[in-house]
Amino acid sequence: MPTVNPLKGFRLTRDDLSFIGHDLQRPECILAEPDGTLWSADARGGVMRIAPDGSQRLIAQQADSHFAGTSDLAKRFTEGTLPNGLAFARNGDILISNFGTDRLEVMDREGRSRVLYDSIDGRPIGKVNFVLRDSKDRIWLTVSTRIKNWMEAIRPGIDDGFIALADERGLRIVADGLHFTNEIRFDAREEYLYAVETCGRRITRFRAAPDGSLGNREVFGTGDFGPAGFPDGCAFDSYGNLWVTLVMAEKLIALTPEGEMLTLFDDGNPQAIAALEAAYQAGKATPDLMMATRSSVTPWIASVTFGGPDLRNAYIGTLFGTNIPWFRSPVAGLPMVHWKDRP
């Protein structure tokens, strides 16, 4: 490992971005495979498979036209099927946290789908946001809120999000009272689970016990990401930096192992961000104010995924994009568990 953090002094501009894919719908989460294949969440109800040569194919049991068919932007993001976080099962099937249908689904590579979970403790499960598989083949999922229209939960004081674990004991809540739980990641040794609390505007980490219980809850790094600093996605690199997207500030940042915040990319609109921040603090954030913050190249920057043969291709997921921005990172990403599943 280098002795100096490779991200010190690293800064991206629009000119550093390349693009892959076309005509995508809500490519919020991206999975990369060692052979260069990308899999992007798609609002038509499945995933878009993008081959190393750039060719692409929509894989879905039945394509849904709701996302592209409505002119009401708020309804696009609160109704219909909305595949969100993705993870590979050990056999190569795709786990899909569906933010629109409020359930965890699994789909094979030909599009055949079934529901894994849509309730917990006898109640509807809520807005299933992200799914992660660990080295023990356990499934972790996040629920952002139990409020059906998630935009109504974008205000202070709503802490009905939670983290659930599915293993041989079934599905159970292992951490709750979270402010709009979003992406989660384990560190390299799976000693700590890091959770994005979007409306808490912080990264929270838990010490993970062998039985899957979570304890020693604490805030990691800064508790202040700046105006409209709503974190969304996160990913570790091999040095130990935690990369974080600030969705409505249109920023990509990194938290060093010591918790220092580094700004890597900033494409935000200061006026729109200030207006949203004021409304949020007053409990009056509206869809129009949120959507006014979108940039033209990373519209609502949502996630970051490392890929390529050396894991130095960094792919950006967005909520409004129709392609995938990507760039070369100065440091390799931390391999996800599926990197070792198949040749």
Side-chain angles (χ1 to χ4, degrees):
M1 291 295 296
T3 57
V4 177
N5 193 323
L7 293 187
K8 292 285 188 176
F10 176 69
R11 191 72 180 253
L12 288 165
T13 69
R14 287 184 170 205
D15 292 340
D16 297 316
L17 299 176
S18 300
F19 301 87
I20 188 170
H22 59 86
D23 301 317
L24 308 180
Q25 291 188 16
R26 198 178 178 274
E28 200 274 353
C29 184
I30 301 156
L31 291 177
E33 290 190 285
D35 68 355
T37 303
L38 299 178
W39 302 77
S40 172
D42 194 283
R44 283 163 284 203
V47 296
M48 186 69 78
R49 179 186 184 275
I50 304 175
D53 65 3
S55 61
Q56 60 185 52
R57 177 168 69 99
L58 178 67
I59 301 174
Q61 185 160 295
Q62 182 175 351
D64 188 303
S65 61
H66 172 81
F67 186 85
T70 179
S71 59
D72 187 322
L73 292 180
K75 288 184 177 181
R76 282 189 187 181
F77 289 88
T78 57
E79 299 178 3
T81 180
L82 293 171
N84 209 66
L86 307 175
F88 286 121
R90 189 174 296 279
N91 67 356
D93 288 351
I94 302 166
L95 300 166
I96 300 174
S97 49
N98 198 312
F99 205 61
T101 61
D102 299 350
R103 59 197 188 189
L104 180 66
E105 304 163 350
V106 62
M107 184 179 72
D108 68 21
R109 297 194 176 206
E110 297 305 316
R112 293 179 289 267
S113 301
R114 58 187 175 90
V115 177
L116 287 181
Y117 299 105
D118 60 5
S119 64
I120 192 167
D121 297 335
R123 299 175 59 192
I125 197 168
K127 306 308 292 184
V128 181
N129 188 305
F130 193 70
V131 59
L132 182 71
R133 181 168 64 91
D134 68 15
S135 64
K136 296 180 180 179
D137 210 27
R138 300 177 298 188
I139 297 172
W140 302 76
L141 64 145
T142 68
V143 171
S144 296
T145 178
R146 293 186 186 269
I147 297 174
K148 182 66 177 177
N149 182 346
W150 64 266
M151 287 187 171
E152 295 176 359
I154 306 297
R155 63 181 190 269
I158 304 295
D159 58 354
D160 61 344
F162 59 87
I163 300 170
L165 170 63
D167 59 10
E168 68 279 357
R169 295 167 52 188
L171 180 68
R172 63 190 185 278
I173 295 174
V174 290
D176 60 8
L178 298 169
H179 273 195
F180 209 91
T181 336
N182 214 303
E183 290 197 3
I184 51 176
R185 300 287 182 184
F186 277 104
D187 61 12
R189 296 183 179 181
E190 295 188 351
E191 292 179 336
Y192 286 92
L193 182 69
Y194 291 72
V196 171
E197 291 189 74
T198 296
C199 292
R201 310 213 295 194
R202 59 183 172 246
I203 306 299
T204 297
R205 75 173 181 180
F206 303 85
R207 182 176 287 276
D211 66 356
S213 59
L214 300 177
N216 299 103
R217 177 176 175 174
E218 62 182 355
V219 174
F220 175 70
T222 179
D224 182 8
F225 293 123
F230 300 99
D232 193 317
C234 63
F236 275 104
D237 65 30
S238 59
Y239 186 84
N241 299 300
L242 183 65
W243 297 44
V244 180
T245 58
L246 302 181
V247 58
M248 296 181 197
E250 293 290 11
K251 287 184 181 180
L252 176 63
I253 66 168
L255 299 176
T256 70
E258 299 76 30
E260 178 187 358
M261 187 177 83
L262 306 175
T263 298
L264 309 180
F265 178 70
D266 184 352
D267 202 42
N269 178 324
Q271 291 75 31
I273 289 169
L276 175 59
E277 176 68 15
Y280 174 77
Q281 294 297 339
K284 298 179 180 180
T286 65
D288 286 345
L289 287 171
M290 296 178 203
M291 292 177 187
T293 64
R294 291 171 293 165
S295 82
S296 59
V297 293
T298 58
W300 274 15
I301 184 170
S303 66
V304 59
T305 298
F306 292 98
D310 58 1
L311 281 168
R312 286 183 55 198
N313 289 353
Y315 300 97
I316 294 174
T318 65
L319 288 172
F320 278 96
T322 57
N323 55 23
I324 297 171
W326 70 279
F327 59 91
R328 291 287 289 167
S329 166
V331 59
L334 182 68
M336 295 185 68
V337 66
H338 70 260
W339 217 253
K340 300 179 181 178
D341 283 347
R342 297 181 309 280

